[in-house]
Amino acid sequence: MLFCLCPGEILVVGSNLPTVAAPGDTVVLPCHLEPTFDVRVLTVEWSRLDLKPDPSDRLSRVEYVHLYRDKNEVPDMKIASYRKRTQLFADAMKHGNISLKITNVSEGDAGRYRCFVPKLQSRVKFAIVELVVDLPFVRNSTTEAPLQTLTTADHRDTTPTNDGARIYAIVAVVVGLLLLPVVGFVVYCHRPICSCYTDVRRIRALMPHLPRTA
């Protein structure tokens, strides 16, 4: 249904986002009048859309999550499970705040709530607010590090490096340089004997003053 709103018309405004809580929490279902309006002299009804009176019982009546009338709460028409658990913000009602506070939330409280101001001179007299009650997130204590471990942890960089490979390369080069003369000597000593005689003759030809041996 579409409404043609007049300038300055007072509206009941809720929230498009659900209110999420865990069992045992205290929550506030948001609802207010816009623009600001003193609602203390009006009736404010908070009800559950999924809870309706039994149509087969003519004596059954609508029960409220919270009913505010004649500047007071009316507990006699309240759903039993909500007794002593709901509250409006009396000081904020003069500014149009009609949000509902619910304490000790249970899974049975989950659902869609209607905030309704029946005597408000407006074509938008109510708003819908959804409450989602989810089980609390249970952390596995065995996967949590102790506090002292977190605060004294060594923050040195543990990123793998190539230092080990560099050391092995340097060692290999040094060993190779040390073995090179030995390998050369071994190769030289294993040459044919005739080659050695040829070298001696060349040396004597260059240096004739050397003594001859038998």
Side-chain angles (χ1 to χ4, degrees):
M1 183 186 305
L2 298 178
F3 295 98
C4 180
L5 302 178
C6 300
E9 186 173 8
I10 300 172
L11 310 176
V12 178
V13 181
S15 174
N16 294 327
L17 300 176
T19 299
V20 182
D25 285 351
T26 295
V27 298
V28 175
L29 303 182
C31 191
H32 67 279
L33 301 184
E34 191 176 294
T36 299
F37 179 80
D38 189 348
V39 74
R40 290 177 295 179
V41 297
L42 299 179
T43 298
V44 177
E45 302 174 359
W46 276 92
S47 59
R48 289 276 299 268
L49 293 181
D50 55 340
L51 299 180
K52 300 183 182 297
D54 186 357
S56 63
D57 185 1
R58 296 182 179 180
L59 298 179
S60 65
R61 62 180 182 178
V62 176
E63 292 185 319
Y64 300 94
V65 174
H66 191 94
L67 177 61
Y68 174 89
R69 181 184 295 163
D70 298 327
K71 299 183 178 181
N72 289 288
E73 180 185 354
V74 184
D76 295 338
M77 298 182 65
K78 197 170 189 177
I79 299 173
S81 61
Y82 288 95
R83 289 176 183 171
K84 297 183 180 181
R85 293 202 300 123
T86 63
Q87 178 184 353
L88 295 177
F89 298 89
D91 294 337
M93 292 181 69
K94 61 183 176 182
H95 302 298
N97 186 349
I98 50 177
S99 300
L100 182 67
K101 177 181 179 181
I102 305 178
T103 61
N104 194 21
V105 171
S106 66
E107 293 183 53
D109 295 335
R112 300 175 70 208
Y113 292 73
R114 184 179 76 157
C115 173
F116 182 41
V117 185
K119 296 182 180 180
L120 183 66
Q121 299 300 313
S122 172
R123 280 164 287 189
V124 182
K125 300 181 180 183
F126 71 92
I128 305 299
V129 181
E130 183 177 5
L131 174 61
V132 176
V133 181
D134 196 6
L135 293 176
F137 176 71
V138 180
R139 292 178 296 179
N140 187 352
S141 59
T142 60
T143 61
E144 291 185 352
L147 181 60
Q148 60 269 24
T149 302
L150 295 177
T151 55
T152 61
D154 188 355
H155 298 287
R156 292 178 297 178
D157 186 10
T158 58
T159 304
T161 62
N162 295 326
D163 291 344
R166 294 175 182 173
I167 294 175
Y168 289 137
I170 293 173
V171 171
V173 171
V174 172
V175 171
L177 293 175
L178 293 176
L179 292 177
L180 185 60
V182 176
V183 174
F185 177 78
V186 171
V187 172
Y188 178 82
C189 292
H190 283 77
R191 291 187 307 167
I193 298 177
C194 60
S195 176
C196 295
Y197 287 147
T198 303
D199 292 341
V200 171
R201 291 170 184 171
R202 290 178 180 176
I203 294 173
R204 290 187 179 279
L206 295 175
M207 304 178 66
H209 60 279
L210 291 176
R212 293 179 179 271
T213 59

